[in-house]
Amino acid sequence: MDKFDEIKKYQTSHDEEFKSKGFSTKCVHMGAEPDYIFGSVNPPIHLSTTFAQREPGVPFGPYDYSRGGNPTRNNLERLIAGLESAEFGHVWSSGMAAMSGLIHLLKPGDEVLCIDDVYGGTQRYFKRVSAIQQGIVFNFMSFDDPKLLLTKMSEKTKMVVSETTTNPTLKTTDISEIVRVTKSYNQDIIVVIDNTFMSPYNCRPIELGADIVMESATKYIGGHSDILMGITCTNSKVLHEKISFIQKNLGGVPSPLECFLAIRGLKTLSIRVERQNQNAMAIAKFLETHKNVEKVIYPGLESSPYHQISKKQQKGFGGVVSFIIKGGIESKAFLKKLKVFLLAESLGSIESLIDHPALMTHLSVPEDVRKELGIMDGFFRISVGIEDLEDLLQDLKNALDEMTV
Ligand SMILES: *Cc1c(COP(=O)(O)O)cnc(C)c1O
């Protein structure tokens, strides 16, 4: 047996060993066997873009050029597959590279049924690039009642795209119900779930029957606001082979250095997200009682219409909370008073952030659509970090207390 077969066997048996272990154990060990030669407990960062060949067409091992595959990326792809309960994982240079890669599974004239509240960047790519340049037809609708998906399906429907929890209105979709309804119409329709807001700690769409889970790893998976990355995972060998081929051809792959940072970030995923779940829940409850807050949107609250679905399919409700302050309060003045929450886009990292969607993340959404979603001037989205809860509560309390209508 040649040494690469031996290494492959060593890696496979390592992953097999950890498949049955708990989630936190997987975070630390999946795809991270002690290095075959030196036993280093962290994977080597293989920066090489090319790999020597013994004779033309006969590389030393399984890699020839890093766009098609790289040993450090392979460590990460095995890790994310393990965490998403999938057989196969792919990592991309951003969440959008992952999503646009998946659309390459389709051909002109194919139809996609997509949740109306989908992430703004996905919406923009679908409507302004893919529909126009690639001839893919996108139909948008609410996924609140999955049975109604049937009303918009046809023999041309090839993909259904949804999100576990949407941004920033935090609508939660019933994933197993979406899968059941879709497959009852046609087994071959590919169900894609963007699980960015939950991370595999809180929800694993593959376990709920989704064909492909996709995430912006820029958020919870990376967790430190220092890498831009996307992931896709599947249990289907056919889809895996198609996605690998697309990935190699499109070329939107991350660098080995970033793969290493993602592996490092993932080791603490469960403790980060557990803390974020707890902090977010406490903050949502506090905001609900504040006299200057009109409404709090958080699936963890009993007042949320999505509470039961979230409880059924998730371990926690995530670190994102949206709220609307009382009419008449100056939103810019409120933001200025915050000291711990940083005013910035993005989410899922260890530091707490606040976003003003109407002027920041959702500025490109047409005003009438924003109005319909309730994203007005007083609407804020916070991404809760891992700081001490008391400091976060105090920061919000100080800023809110000082506001007068
Ligand atoms: C951020 C985000 C994306 C896009 O990911 P990038 O890494 O920014 O390209 C896709 N979906 C959701 C839900 C996101 O929050």
Side-chain angles (χ1 to χ4, degrees), residues 318-331:
V320 177
V321 181
S322 294
F323 63 98
I324 301 165
I325 54 175
K326 286 257 160 76
I329 294 178
E330 241 276 57
S331 62

Side-chain angles (χ1 to χ4, degrees), residues 35-64:
D35 166 64
Y36 186 75
I37 298 173
F38 297 110
S40 66
V41 301
N42 284 306
I45 305 169
H46 290 275
L47 291 174
S48 197
T49 51
T50 189
F51 298 83
Q53 312 203 355
R54 293 192 191 279
E55 48 185 281
V58 187
F60 275 54
Y63 303 104
D64 50 19

Side-chain angles (χ1 to χ4, degrees), residues 93-97 119 122 163 165 167 194 196-197 214-219 228-230 346-347:
S93 54
S94 70
M96 288 317 300
Y119 172 72
T122 302
E163 294 179 352
T165 305
N167 173 27
D194 180 339
T196 301
F197 270 51
M214 146 306 141
E215 286 194 29
S216 165
T218 312
K219 319 294 167 53
L228 202 61
M229 191 181 282
S346 200
L347 59 112

Side-chain angles (χ1 to χ4, degrees), residues 71-265:
T72 312
R73 195 164 97 217
N74 182 255
N75 287 112
L76 175 58
E77 292 184 328
R78 288 161 47 213
L79 170 57
I80 56 136
L83 298 184
E84 296 280 4
S85 298
E87 282 296 316
F88 310 101
H90 301 93
V91 293
W92 305 74
S93 54
S94 70
M96 288 317 300
M99 186 52 95
S100 56
L102 293 180
I103 295 302
H104 280 75
L105 289 165
L106 308 175
K107 58 181 190 316
D110 283 353
E111 293 191 12
V112 176
L113 191 49
C114 181
I115 186 167
D116 53 3
D117 205 15
V118 75
Y119 172 72
T122 302
Q123 196 154 157
R124 188 174 53 205
Y125 164 68
F126 283 179
K127 287 181 175 161
R128 293 174 57 188
V129 180
S130 188
I132 296 168
Q133 312 286 347
Q134 300 172 304
I136 312 284
V137 179
F138 295 92
N139 296 306
F140 295 89
M141 68 182 292
S142 163
F143 279 22
D144 278 355
D145 182 356
K147 284 193 298 300
L148 297 181
L149 266 65
L150 293 174
T151 64
K152 292 232 179 162
M153 282 185 184
S154 75
E155 75 278 8
K156 289 191 179 149
T157 309
K158 296 289 153 62
M159 188 181 275
V160 165
V161 175
S162 190
E163 294 179 352
T164 316
T165 305
T166 65
N167 173 27
T169 50
L170 307 180
K171 293 179 183 161
T172 303
T173 55
D174 188 335
I175 297 171
S176 44
E177 210 27 40
I178 288 169
V179 171
R180 193 188 62 75
V181 169
T182 303
K183 301 289 174 177
S184 76
Y185 185 82
N186 180 353
Q187 275 291 337
D188 296 333
I189 298 173
I190 303 167
V191 177
V192 175
I193 304 290
D194 180 339
N195 191 46
T196 301
F197 270 51
M198 286 302 118
S199 88
Y201 177 77
N202 277 333
C203 185
R204 289 183 289 281
I206 295 282
E207 289 177 8
L208 300 170
D211 296 295
I212 299 174
V213 59
M214 146 306 141
E215 286 194 29
S216 165
T218 312
K219 319 294 167 53
Y220 287 98
I221 287 181
H224 296 74
S225 298
D226 56 7
I227 51 169
L228 202 61
M229 191 181 282
I231 68 154
T232 51
C233 294
T234 182
N235 269 336
S236 153
K237 191 154 194 286
V238 174
L239 286 174
H240 159 64
E241 280 166 5
K242 285 185 184 173
I243 293 168
S244 296
F245 188 67
I246 290 166
Q247 187 189 36
K248 176 173 162 163
N249 282 284
L250 292 184
V253 295
S255 78
L257 210 56
E258 285 174 307
C259 292
F260 176 82
L261 285 173
I263 292 167
R264 184 179 160 125

